[in-house]
């Protein structure tokens, strides 16, 4: 069912929420920027932090943005589960 799919996705996100690795953050050499990303229902959500503007903070800020994406997505999946229950 649709609800069980969202429960699986929610479980993966909750497991990853406190993972300190740089999962969901990539470096874009062309733009000299770090990008936070997450896939939600087949769509990608991104936020970019350029090294030329932020310097050494760019990677950390992308990591923080990724964690925020995860929290937002957890709430989104919870809503979907409750609406399908």
């Amino acid at each position: 069912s649709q609800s069980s799919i969202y429960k699986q996705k929610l479980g993966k996100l909750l497991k990853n929420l406190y993972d300190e690795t740089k999962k969901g953050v990539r470096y874009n050499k062309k733009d000299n920027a770090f990008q936070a990303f997450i896939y939600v229902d087949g769509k990608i959500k991104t936020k970019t932090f350029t090294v030329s503007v932020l310097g050494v903070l760019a990677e950390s800020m992308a990591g923080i943005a990724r964690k925020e994406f995860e929290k937002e997505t957890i709430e989104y999946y919870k809503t979907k589960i409750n609406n399908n229950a």
Side-chain angles (χ1 to χ4, degrees), residues 14-71:
L14 288 171
K15 182 179 166 212
N16 292 335
L17 187 60
Y18 298 103
D19 182 1
E20 294 302 315
T21 63
K22 299 291 186 213
K23 185 173 185 176
V25 174
R26 60 185 168 209
Y27 178 70
N28 181 328
K29 187 175 182 178
K30 180 177 80 67
D31 296 331
N32 190 27
F34 286 91
Q35 185 177 64
F37 65 95
I38 195 166
Y39 289 92
V40 182
D41 283 346
K43 298 176 187 168
I44 189 168
K45 182 176 181 178
T46 63
K47 191 167 186 179
T48 303
F49 300 87
T50 56
V51 174
S52 62
V53 174
L54 299 167
V56 296
L57 294 176
E59 185 176 10
S60 295
M61 292 181 74
I64 291 167
R66 168 57 193 221
K67 294 300 176 195
E68 289 301 314
F69 284 171
E70 290 173 0
K71 291 175 186 175

Side-chain angles (χ1 to χ4, degrees), residues 66-82:
R66 168 57 193 221
K67 294 300 176 195
E68 289 301 314
F69 284 171
E70 290 173 0
K71 291 175 186 175
E72 292 168 7
T73 305
I74 287 167
E75 292 306 313
Y76 170 78
Y77 286 144
K78 284 181 180 177
T79 301
K80 288 290 195 178
I81 291 166
N82 290 335

